[in-house]
Amino acid sequence: MVHPLDDVDRIMDVMTSAFPSEFGEAWNRRQVSDALLLPATQYALIADDGAMELKPCDPAAGFYLSRGVLDEEELLLFAIAPESRRKGLGHALLREFIEHARQRGKKRLFLEMRRNNPAGILYASHGFRAVGIRPRYYRALNGDRIDAITQELVLE
Ligand SMILES: CC(C)(COP(=O)(O)OP(=O)(O)OC[C@H]1O[C@@H](n2cnc3c(N)ncnc32)[C@H](O)[C@@H]1OP(=O)(O)O)[C@@H](O)C(=O)NCCC(=O)NCCS
């Protein structure tokens, strides 16, 4: 188990390259390090070769961060670094998120995404379904407003 402070560096390396800057979705370092100190926070890293246990010097190719309340878990951040995309890491990391939540007794998983984010194809392939819309929730740097789509996966 790597100390969470080392993992803050790994998460921030992915964060700064993975999220398009125009939507302001990326968290800053302080937000991440504070979140990792909270007992309700769960996170995992994935290496470029798909390993979920990273060696001490390995960078992360992707991560998720989620927060749980009772039998629900909300996926707050989910990202794969651009140079590691389209080779199945997103699938592997999402599978890990779902299975880890299931093992901890979670019944309902939630996430929120920008309308038309290609990530929606990935989420749908794992059973997530749109259950709500927050109209014009995201504001792009150019002033455009984009709906947020709330997605849910009910676990058996
Ligand atoms: C979304 C994201 C995590 C996908 O990671 P990835 O490692 O490329 O995902 P995978 O290789 O496992 O691909 C999963 C599937 O998602 C779909 N997909 C992923 N990116 C896509 C894209 N740009 N366009 C269309 N479909 C896409 C495809 O169906 C893909 O399967 P395929 O490659 O067999 O066709 C990654 O693009 C990312 O980090 N995006 C920026 C951050 C972000 O928007 N996170 C989600 C916030 S809600």
Side-chain angles (χ1 to χ4, degrees):
M1 178 66 185
V2 177
H3 190 277
L5 279 182
D6 300 326
D7 288 349
V8 174
D9 288 334
R10 290 165 156 156
I11 288 172
M12 290 312 296
D13 283 347
V14 176
M15 186 97 69
T16 49
S17 67
F19 287 95
S21 56
E22 65 261 40
F23 303 114
E25 293 164 306
W27 290 16
N28 64 34
R29 187 182 182 85
R30 179 66 188 267
Q31 290 172 298
V32 172
S33 57
D34 283 356
L36 295 199
L37 295 174
L38 298 175
T41 299
Q42 300 288 324
Y43 74 99
L45 308 171
I46 190 165
D48 187 62
D49 65 0
M52 304 292 306
E53 297 284 333
L54 274 62
K55 299 191 193 85
C57 297
D58 282 351
F63 74 95
Y64 79 74
L65 189 151
S66 68
R67 179 177 53 206
V69 181
L70 302 174
D71 64 356
E72 297 181 352
E73 189 81 12
E74 183 176 10
L75 186 60
L76 297 173
L77 292 166
F78 186 86
I80 301 293
E83 64 273 18
S84 297
R85 289 180 189 165
R86 301 311 292 268
K87 55 180 192 173
L89 294 185
H91 275 302
L93 190 61
L94 191 59
R95 205 174 300 121
E96 166 72 18
F97 166 65
I98 294 167
E99 285 315 310
H100 187 56
R102 193 194 304 275
Q103 284 163 17
R104 290 180 298 117
K106 301 293 177 174
K107 300 290 183 220
R108 282 148 50 96
L109 310 184
F110 289 98
L111 63 88
E112 208 154 75
M113 56 164 249
R114 261 179 292 119
R115 186 189 286 283
N116 296 332
N117 187 339
I121 303 166
L122 170 62
Y123 296 140
S125 73
H126 287 260
F128 280 89
R129 295 290 171 258
V131 291
I133 297 175
R134 289 182 167 183
R136 300 162 56 80
Y137 181 77
Y138 294 98
R139 186 203 297 263
L141 283 181
N142 68 4
D144 285 355
R145 306 298 295 250
I146 302 162
D147 297 345
I149 312 293
T150 305
Q151 304 221 11
E152 178 192 49
L153 173 63
V154 177
L155 299 178
E156 300 303 322

